[in-house]
Amino acid sequence: MKSSGEGNANGKIILMGEHSVVYGKPAIAFPFQPTHVTAEITDHAYEKLRSGYFVGPLAKAPKSLENIKTLIHQLRHDFSTPPVQITISSTIPAERGMGSSAAVAVAITRAFFDWLNRPLSSKLLLNYVNYAEKISHGNPSGIDAAATAGDEPILFQKGATFETFPINISAFLIVADTGVKGKTRQTVKAVAKRFEQDAQTTGRLMNELGDLTLKAKNAILNNQAPYLGELMNAAQKNLAALQVSDQTLDNLITVANQNGALGAKLTGGGKGGCMIALASDYKTAKKITTALTNQGAKATWIQELGVYQYA
Ligand code: PMV
């Protein structure tokens, strides 16, 4: 055992396929490097958490940190370790559809194994992270765990091994935080209820979202940014029909489109959280972020797509 262990993870962005991914449809996600989390594990007289949200005995941590508590207990139980102190520092905004809960679980699990000085396979990592994600989200598809644990874009399908592929398209992605906490747990539940009440319409919306995702993958592989933008707009229509969007997201999406975006949609669970937009060039991307900030976006990021080039 080492005196301390360290682990890292990125935030993530779902480009296409949120919600339908819960029902077995494909989704595209990628690690979002501008936001990341680091965890450090050291041994301590009692279980202690130090984070931006809470500092003190883990036993007294608020309910919103139950995922961390459960994960630590499981890890300690599986490896019969003494108590630990966990220090978390994160630039991933919490509950904004950027996968902060999964990323924290990835970073903690990596830090724990680093502290134990044991190798950690990706399968075992994802098992622990999905275990923690069940506490956070109820019925997670696993996409957040897979995207925050890796460093490549993925085409993810629940229950299947995911494939990585290069996002190599000449375009810029804008991400904007509404400043309102996303409500993934509630929206996933609400969609499940819709399925019970109207399986036909909900099923059709899900199938269409799955098709749009596969078309988006081809648009990316063929460097068709304007077409990808159209597909994003179409996905947003379906997500709105599933009632997982809201007024704040709709406003920012409209503003992005009015300022030259090729397309825009919510990302992640919805009802708050973040939206994304696509721009053909950096100048337009800047114009869009300025307009979004003027309309109340709490934070914006621009990421050049096409940076993921692997030999
Ligand atoms: O809000 P986030 O970043 O946790 O993303 C949730 C994505 C959903 O498809 C809505 C749920 C899931 O588990 O895949």
Side-chain angles (χ1 to χ4, degrees):
M1 201 178 281
K2 293 160 71 172
S3 59
S4 73
E6 200 183 288
N8 296 289
N10 292 302
K12 71 98 215 330
I13 294 292
I14 297 178
L15 189 65
M16 294 284 275
E18 50 275 276
H19 286 289
S20 43
V21 70
V22 176
Y23 297 89
K25 308 294 173 201
I28 298 170
F30 54 89
F32 190 56
Q33 280 99 353
T35 61
H36 56 268
V37 54
T38 303
E40 192 197 33
I41 300 270
T42 49
D43 42 307
H44 199 75
Y46 58 92
E47 278 185 343
K48 184 175 176 186
L49 178 64
R50 292 168 64 214
S51 77
Y53 295 96
F54 175 82
V55 178
L58 192 57
K60 296 214 166 123
K63 190 115 185 68
S64 58
L65 301 177
E66 195 67 29
N67 54 332
I68 295 180
K69 220 189 270 182
T70 311
L71 175 62
I72 289 291
H73 288 166
Q74 191 62 44
L75 285 164
R76 283 198 50 218
H77 171 266
D78 290 353
F79 295 95
S80 311
T81 75
V84 290
Q85 169 173 277
I86 312 110
T87 306
I88 294 167
S89 62
S90 177
T91 61
I92 310 175
E95 296 174 66
R96 300 294 206 279
M98 280 200 194
S100 70
S101 60
V104 162
V106 169
I108 289 178
T109 309
R110 283 186 171 148
F112 201 89
F113 276 77
D114 184 39
W115 175 63
L116 292 176
N117 214 359
R118 274 177 178 258
L120 172 63
S121 68
S122 17
K123 188 164 178 247
L124 190 57
L125 171 64
L126 293 183
N127 279 349
Y128 278 115
V129 177
N130 282 320
Y131 174 72
E133 281 288 273
K134 284 208 176 86
I135 313 286
S136 311
H137 288 180
N139 177 27
S141 65
I143 190 169
D144 284 13
T148 56
D151 50 15
E152 291 181 62
I154 54 172
L155 184 77
F156 179 92
Q157 205 154 359
K158 196 175 171 180
T161 48
F162 53 87
E163 74 183 76
T164 59
F165 75 103
I167 291 200
N168 194 10
I169 186 166
S170 342
F172 289 79
L173 190 83
I174 295 109
V175 181
D177 182 356
T178 59
V180 180
K181 281 187 179 178
K183 296 174 187 66
T184 304
R185 201 184 172 90
Q186 286 99 309
T187 54
V188 168
K189 250 192 175 164
V191 169
K193 198 156 175 222
R194 285 182 71 82
F195 231 123
E196 275 170 32
Q197 287 165 349
D198 184 356
Q200 207 184 345
T201 314
T202 315
R204 178 180 54 78
L205 292 170
M206 294 301 177
N207 287 338
E208 286 172 5
L209 282 167
D211 290 346
L212 289 167
T213 302
L214 293 178
K215 285 182 182 156
K217 185 193 172 197
N218 284 332
I220 291 165
L221 293 175
N222 294 312
N223 196 10
Q224 297 168 311
Y227 184 42
L228 177 60
E230 282 172 30
L231 296 168
M232 288 165 68
N233 283 336
Q236 175 59 24
K237 278 209 182 108
N238 278 26
L239 291 164
L242 285 172
Q243 289 175 8
V244 297
S245 195
D246 67 5
Q247 196 61 51
T248 315
L249 284 163
D250 291 350
N251 283 345
L252 294 183
I253 287 163
T254 304
V255 166
N257 280 328
Q258 283 168 348
N259 281 273
L262 299 171
K265 62 184 277 294
L266 64 83
T267 181
K271 293 264 182 214
C274 287
M275 54 77 68
I276 54 175
L278 197 70
S280 55
D281 55 83
Y282 186 73
K283 203 169 150 218
T284 311
K286 274 305 274 182
K287 186 179 167 208
I288 294 168
T289 53
T290 306
L292 291 171
T293 305
N294 289 340
Q295 281 297 314
K298 290 293 168 297
T300 59
W301 297 263
I302 297 175
Q303 177 152 319
E304 185 174 5
L305 299 175
V307 290
Y308 299 99
Q309 299 202 9
Y310 300 97

